[in-house]
Amino acid sequence: MSATEIPLPVRDYDLAATLDSGQVFRWQKIENSWHGVIGKNFVQLTQTKTGIHAVTTAPVEDWNFLRHFLQIETDLAAILKTFPDDEPMRAAVAACRGLRLLRQDPWECLASFILSSTKQIVQIRQIVALLCERFGEPCGVDGFASFPTPEKIASVTELQLRNCKMGFRAPSLLAAAQQIARGKFDLEKIHAMNYADAREELMTLRGVGGKIADCVLLFGYGFDTAFPVDVWIERALQELYFPRRRASEKRLRHFAATHFGPHAGYAQQYLFHNMRTKKK
DNA sequence: AGCCAGGCTAAAT
DNA sequence: ATTTAGCATGGC
């Protein structure tokens, strides 16, 4: 029996921190709740005492798409226990109680992070918003649209993409969309690969280097060992763990892979969000 | 006005 | 093998 709302009981889930931690770029806080689009569904999420309450515009038969996106079933406490017991991690965990990793659609995640390079999060939001407004499908709520498919983006011109303020990232996005739409690149097969091969495969795409590949693997596929190293994390690792000598990117990646454990990606998100939100 | 932003690529050491 | 400019655009 379909409905337009459902309560999702869950503990230790900070919806605001999660939706505003630079994993996703088009969720909006409106009054006391968060509005966004998952696939073709407009969804309104509200934090409650017992978990998260979801409301949609269209009736929903199967809510698993939402449970999957929110990763409701994830045992956060078990993950936190695997973090290294050092001062930076303790501080980050204490400051970001209930921060979670979402599980996004791989294409939306890939496209968004191709657009993220050398952009502030506010600006990434603007670019993605323009892209969806112009090339996505309306979902019944004013100002909200689906994320445009690879086929749709492959059918527009580089200039149309540049007009979404994405600058030199436009040809990269267009090329990725074309390869996927034409069956030259298969996002599905990434699921079955190991981390190293999957990373290498994603990096064959133009405009996708190690950092963006790691974001897509972590946020879109659930490779928890993926540890995106951006300017924030690089500074954090440098200051907190290598205060004297300057460590190369290769060395930092090796440190991250060996020091933070099987859920290094989660640890990274805690460090990132803590760095970004703590006021100096 | 100049610097930097959840980087990547190709050229130059 | 490792370091460095150039790349569009906008906010501060």
Side-chain angles (χ1 to χ4, degrees):
Chain A
M1 168 159 161
S2 58
T4 57
E5 57 185 302
I6 189 175
L8 300 167
V10 62
R11 297 187 309 124
D12 260 342
Y13 203 123
D14 186 336
L15 192 62
T18 301
L19 292 175
D20 195 27
S21 62
Q23 308 176 53
V24 287
F25 301 104
R26 51 202 212 100
W27 283 82
Q28 292 181 43
K29 184 170 163 66
I30 298 177
E31 302 195 347
N32 219 10
S33 58
W34 291 83
H35 296 201
V37 180
I38 305 171
K40 296 175 181 174
N41 300 90
F42 172 84
V43 183
Q44 177 182 335
L45 300 173
T46 310
Q47 184 102 48
T48 64
K49 297 217 188 293
T50 54
I52 297 169
H53 192 79
V55 178
T56 58
T57 45
V60 173
E61 288 267 357
D62 183 351
W63 291 94
N64 280 334
F65 78 95
L66 182 56
R67 292 195 182 88
H68 183 255
F69 175 77
L70 292 171
Q71 292 286 288
I72 291 290
E73 326 272 322
T74 298
D75 185 348
L76 184 61
I79 290 173
L80 298 183
K81 272 191 242 171
T82 68
F83 288 179
D85 186 21
D86 61 29
E87 186 46 41
M89 271 323 308
R90 277 197 295 271
V93 168
C96 310
R97 284 272 173 226
L99 176 62
R100 302 279 190 139
L101 289 187
L102 301 162
R103 185 66 55 81
Q104 306 173 41
D105 169 65
W107 162 244
E108 175 168 348
C109 188
L110 171 65
S112 300
F113 278 95
I114 285 176
L115 300 175
S116 76
S117 104
T118 335
K119 276 291 178 191
Q120 295 182 356
I121 290 179
V122 193
Q123 298 169 356
I124 303 168
R125 285 208 173 94
Q126 289 173 1
I127 296 171
V128 171
L130 281 172
L131 189 68
C132 293
E133 174 190 328
R134 294 181 182 177
F135 306 119
E137 297 291 330
C139 65
V141 178
D142 205 36
F144 290 86
S146 67
F147 195 89
T149 63
E151 290 75 17
K152 177 61 183 178
I153 291 182
S155 76
V156 308
T157 65
E158 183 183 318
L159 182 59
Q160 286 177 287
L161 294 180
R162 281 184 182 269
N163 287 341
C164 298
K165 313 292 184 188
M166 62 181 75
F168 62 83
R169 305 157 194 84
S172 297
L173 179 65
L174 184 55
Q178 287 172 345
Q179 287 193 60
I180 291 162
R182 292 170 188 166
K184 305 284 281 182
F185 191 97
D186 184 3
L187 284 172
E188 282 305 310
K189 76 180 178 191
I190 301 285
H191 283 290
M193 301 174 79
N194 66 48
Y195 167 66
D197 289 346
R199 188 171 191 265
E200 211 174 312
E201 182 68 15
L202 283 170
M203 286 176 68
T204 64
L205 295 170
R206 183 157 193 88
V208 179
K211 189 271 170 180
I212 291 177
D214 279 334
C215 286
V216 176
L217 291 171
L218 183 61
F219 303 141
Y221 290 94
F223 283 88
D224 277 12
T225 54
F227 191 99
V229 177
D230 63 20
V231 292
W232 289 86
I233 292 295
E234 182 171 358
R235 275 200 290 265
L237 294 182
Q238 195 70 60
E239 290 171 16
L240 300 171
Y241 297 101
F242 298 88
R244 284 290 147 184
R245 61 191 186 289
R246 184 186 176 300
S248 68
E249 186 235 328
K250 190 180 174 73
R251 188 175 180 78
L252 288 180
R253 282 200 65 233
H254 178 261
F255 173 77
T258 53
H259 184 257
F260 292 103
H263 302 285
Y266 269 87
Q268 175 274 161
Q269 197 64 18
Y270 275 79
L271 291 174
F272 178 76
H273 194 246
N274 190 34
M275 288 280 292
R276 222 169 59 83
T277 53
K278 79 177 174 193
K279 48 182 188 245
K280 246 294 175 55

